[in-house]
Amino acid sequence: MSATADHAEERTNLAARLGFQPEQVVQEIGFDDDVDQELREAIEEIIGGELVDEDYDDVADAVVLWFRDEDGDLTDALVDATQLVDDGGTVWLMTPKTGRDGYVEPSDINEAATTAGLSQTKSINAGKDWTGSRLVSPKAAKSGKR
């Protein structure tokens, strides 16, 4: 396999590890020039379509929320995201890694998630500059639903 094919498979595997599946509707919030384009492309490859933007007017199967410290109130952003996702759906909160502009403290993520009625089930390395936190409603966490 070529290095390019290996890299493409690695990207796709990351999106699969995040739990994305074919034909899901994934809404993206907080898109800007700094987001991880490779991760976005890998998610689109897995779901077989484009991510829908903030103007999408139906519920999504999952939400990818790119959030930086200067983006405002994280709790408010998470509450808004939970209203956009189907019951039992996942909110993937993507925040800059330690030392990067816009870094968000893990304790702030935990506090905001709890206040928004979400539980953090895992964190992953979501690219060169981003960390991903999988957030679900407590009911979904107990049932194991993704």
Side-chain angles (χ1 to χ4, degrees), residues 69-126:
D69 186 52
E70 65 272 4
D71 286 347
D73 187 83
L74 179 55
T75 301
D76 289 346
L78 291 174
V79 168
D80 291 346
T82 61
Q83 295 173 359
L84 302 171
V85 71
D86 200 14
D87 285 343
T90 300
V91 174
W92 273 103
L93 173 64
M94 303 296 175
T95 56
K97 287 184 176 178
T98 305
R100 308 293 200 288
D101 286 344
Y103 170 71
V104 180
E105 290 286 342
S107 59
D108 293 342
I109 293 169
N110 189 42
E111 182 180 328
T114 301
T115 303
L118 297 167
S119 297
Q120 183 173 344
T121 61
K122 71 175 168 179
S123 294
I124 58 127
N125 175 1

Side-chain angles (χ1 to χ4, degrees), residues 88 119-121 134 136-145:
S119 297
Q120 183 173 344
T121 61
R134 182 176 183 266
V136 297
S137 67
K139 184 174 22 174
K142 287 179 187 163
S143 71
K145 186 172 181 183

